[in-house]
Amino acid sequence: NAGVTQTPKFRILKIGQSMTLQCAQDMNHNYMYWYRQDPGMGLKLIYYSVGAGITDKGEVPNGYNVSRSTTEDFPLRLELAAPSQTSVYFCASSYRSVGFIGAKNIQYFGAGTRLSVL
Amino acid sequence: AQKITQTQPGMFVQEKEAVTLDCTYDTSDPSYGLFWYKQPSSGEMIFLIYQGSYDQQNATEGRYSLNFQKARKSANLVISASQLGDSAMYFCAMRDQGGKLIFGQGTELSVKP
């Protein structure tokens, strides 16, 4: 019963390095999301996707890129890591049936990736 | 602009007592959803309870209930019979019409034995 799987769990990057945070879900959810959580704060949306091939910016997209080539996978790319990107990153997914106003569309989260940029 | 406000940075409660965590929201959308998530010290985000804007009754899930007051735009979480394992951060979130979640800053709950 995997749900949402994120890899790696921890990573230390040097300034200017790049990396990809992996996210995979096995629940056949159409919507997927990337959030970041800074210390003592709530989560902020970086990017989201409503289906394969469709992505859109959230509240804090600068410095990140995403792609969604399959329903299952939604990787997050950091091109030039900066200390301001030190955070915990969460991937989430949900099934959203558009037009059904009573639907819960609960987002299920992965365990998170703790990233430090030094 | 849509916003979620949690005004209690930290709360203490005695084991076996009930506790209310406050959440107010601001939106002009008629259709929205309200969620509570628990984040224990291990870091994962655990879904607790959901309330839809059109739901007539307050949501309940086991020891969790949501006191939904639509006119006041509040969605407080009530935990009954607190347990030591309830010690965690609790986040209130609102889903907008586009399906995105907006989170509050969280309330840290500590349950005393």
Side-chain angles (χ1 to χ4, degrees):
Chain A
N1 212 8
V4 179
T5 303
Q6 289 184 239
T7 55
K9 287 185 169 41
F10 303 94
R11 185 72 186 267
I12 298 174
L13 282 182
K14 293 182 180 178
I15 295 172
Q17 286 185 322
S18 59
M19 77 163 294
T20 300
L21 281 66
Q22 301 291 346
C23 176
Q25 54 94 6
D26 62 359
M27 297 176 281
N28 202 29
H29 286 170
N30 50 354
Y31 277 52
M32 295 188 75
Y33 312 82
W34 274 105
Y35 295 90
R36 61 176 286 173
Q37 184 181 27
D38 297 329
M41 305 291 287
L43 279 67
K44 292 187 177 180
L45 183 65
I46 305 171
Y47 271 96
Y48 69 103
S49 168
V50 304
I54 307 170
T55 62
D56 206 350
K57 296 178 181 178
E59 183 183 356
V60 289
N62 291 345
Y64 307 95
N65 278 301
V66 293
S67 60
R68 182 117 180 254
S69 56
T70 67
T71 299
E72 295 78 19
D73 300 300
F74 190 40
L76 177 72
R77 180 84 177 160
L78 283 72
E79 289 295 348
L80 290 170
S84 61
Q85 293 178 304
T86 294
S87 191
V88 180
Y89 291 83
F90 287 98
C91 178
S93 71
S94 69
Y95 182 76
R96 180 169 171 83
S97 53
V98 179
F100 178 37
I101 60 174
K104 292 183 178 181
N105 304 139
I106 298 167
Q107 291 188 22
Y108 295 94
F109 286 78
T113 295
R114 189 173 297 272
L115 176 67
S116 295
V117 182
L118 304 176
Chain B
Q2 295 173 323
K3 190 178 179 182
I4 289 280
T5 303
Q6 294 180 254
T7 57
Q8 305 154 313
M11 291 277 288
F12 288 92
V13 64
Q14 204 68 35
E15 193 178 8
K16 300 181 184 177
E17 292 186 349
V19 62
T20 298
L21 306 184
D22 294 342
C23 173
T24 58
Y25 61 93
D26 190 15
T27 182
S28 56
D29 291 338
S31 177
Y32 53 89
L34 296 158
F35 300 77
W36 279 91
Y37 283 86
K38 173 183 179 181
Q39 186 177 43
S41 57
S42 52
E44 70 267 36
M45 296 289 288
I46 302 168
F47 165 73
L48 295 179
I49 195 166
Y50 166 83
Q51 181 83 43
S53 59
Y54 295 110
D55 293 343
Q56 295 297 313
Q57 293 188 324
N58 287 342
T60 61
E61 292 282 352
R63 294 187 298 110
Y64 305 108
S65 59
L66 202 152
N67 184 2
F68 181 45
Q69 297 187 45
K70 195 171 183 176
R72 297 179 62 182
K73 293 189 175 180
S74 73
N76 298 338
L77 176 70
V78 181
I79 305 174
S80 64
S82 297
Q83 301 171 356
L84 295 178
D86 294 335
S87 294
M89 284 290 290
Y90 289 81
F91 291 96
C92 180
M94 177 172 63
R95 187 199 64 232
D96 65 14
Q97 287 189 338
K100 302 186 294 296
L101 281 182
I102 301 160
F103 282 84
Q105 290 196 318
T107 295
E108 183 172 9
L109 178 67
S110 297
V111 180
K112 294 182 174 180

